[in-house]
């Protein structure tokens, strides 16, 4: 990912928080070139253990076969707030249209998880994270039905060896332009994009 110094974010705290906030990402394999859109669970690094991204695919989805055997290189992408930026919002000219956005890219080795018991644990963790309380109780479902569901899934674990964080939020513009862009985004109802710009630039 092209990341000029003005927009690069190396802070693990921001990167991990972004992934957890925008955890419906894209899993990309190189050989074959395929993309799957999936919810991910981030397992933060502990000690010498690197961070891992856990997800699952339908067994009917051929993408999982890209990670069979010893695994394969893969990339996960997590996009956050984004918006078109009009040059009419700037005070300094000449200028051109652009796009503001937050994104995190994780590169690593993806391996398969095919044990139904491990997949069940993944599903329990996902339900625990997203279900309201009280909510769906996986263990209250008919065991035969759930066993069939788990066998129809293939888990994927991406062991991350490199993170790239990028915040392209008008940092290359004068402070007055950044403030004006945030106000214009709010006026257009794009509050998430405005909030991201303010956060990236320390604007109250």
């Amino acid at each position: 990912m092209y990341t000029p110094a003005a927009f690069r974010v190396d802070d693990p705290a921001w990167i991990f928080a972004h992934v957890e906030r925008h955890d419906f990402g894209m899993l990309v394999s190189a050989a074959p070139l395929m993309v799957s859109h999936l919810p991910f669970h981030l397992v933060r690094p502990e000690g010498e253990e690197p961070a891992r991204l856990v997800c699952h695919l339908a067994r009917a989805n051929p993408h999982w076969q890209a990670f069979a055997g010893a695994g394969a290189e893969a990339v996960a992408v997590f996009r956050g707030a984004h918006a078109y930026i009009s040059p009419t919002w700037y005070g300094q000219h000449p200028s051109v249209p652009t796009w503001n956005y937050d994104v995190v890219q994780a590169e690593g080795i993806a391996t398969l998880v095919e044990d139904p018991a491990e997949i069940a644990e993944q599903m329990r963790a996902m339900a625990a994270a997203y279900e309201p309380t009280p909510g769906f109780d996986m263990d209250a479902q008919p065991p035969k039905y759930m066993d069939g569901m788990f066998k129809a899934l293939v888990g994927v674990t991406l062991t991350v060896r490199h993170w790239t964080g990028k915040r392209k939020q008008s940092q290359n513009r004068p402070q007055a332009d950044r403030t004006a862009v945030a106000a214009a985004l709010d006026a257009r109802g794009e509050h998430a994009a405005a909030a991201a710009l303010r956060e990236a630039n320390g604007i109250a």
Side-chain angles (χ1 to χ4, degrees):
M1 176 167 61
Y2 173 60
T3 313
F7 305 137
R8 186 179 183 92
V9 181
D10 293 314
D11 179 12
W14 183 85
I15 288 172
F16 295 155
H18 176 93
V19 171
E20 289 170 339
R21 188 182 310 122
H22 305 285
D23 50 3
F24 190 80
M26 294 181 287
L27 179 66
V28 185
S29 62
L33 178 59
M34 296 183 72
V35 180
S36 290
H37 302 265
L38 307 163
F40 288 81
H41 172 65
L42 171 65
V43 181
R44 294 193 179 213
E46 291 186 12
E48 297 299 315
E49 293 294 318
R52 292 175 290 123
L53 290 163
V54 179
C55 59
H56 61 270
L57 298 162
R59 190 171 288 276
N61 180 347
H63 196 178
W64 68 266
Q65 297 173 32
F67 314 118
E73 290 187 339
V75 174
V77 182
F78 303 90
R79 192 180 71 186
H82 63 96
Y84 171 80
I85 307 301
S86 171
T88 64
W89 301 339
Y90 298 149
Q92 188 177 95
H93 297 284
S95 51
V96 295
T98 190
W99 207 277
N100 278 6
Y101 57 91
D102 288 345
V103 68
V104 167
Q105 184 170 290
E107 303 170 35
I109 299 296
T111 55
L112 298 181
V113 177
E114 297 193 76
D115 180 359
E118 289 188 54
I119 293 172
E121 285 306 307
Q122 288 184 14
M123 298 300 292
R124 285 191 182 90
M126 180 177 292
Y130 295 106
E131 278 290 323
T133 303
F136 174 74
D137 183 354
M138 189 175 299
D139 295 319
Q141 310 309 307
K144 184 176 180 180
Y145 171 79
M146 294 307 301
D147 287 346
M149 295 299 295
F150 298 144
K151 290 175 182 176
L153 299 173
V154 179
V156 177
T157 297
L158 179 65
T159 301
V160 182
R161 62 188 182 195
H162 182 69
W163 294 94
T164 303
K166 184 174 183 180
R167 305 203 79 179
K168 184 180 177 297
Q169 296 290 352
S170 301
Q171 297 97 318
N172 57 331
R173 301 297 307 182
Q175 184 71 15
D177 283 357
R178 301 179 209 178
T179 301
V181 169
L185 288 170
D186 268 332
R188 203 164 65 174
E190 299 193 64
H191 304 302
L197 187 154
R198 290 191 176 99
E199 180 186 286
N201 290 283
I203 299 172

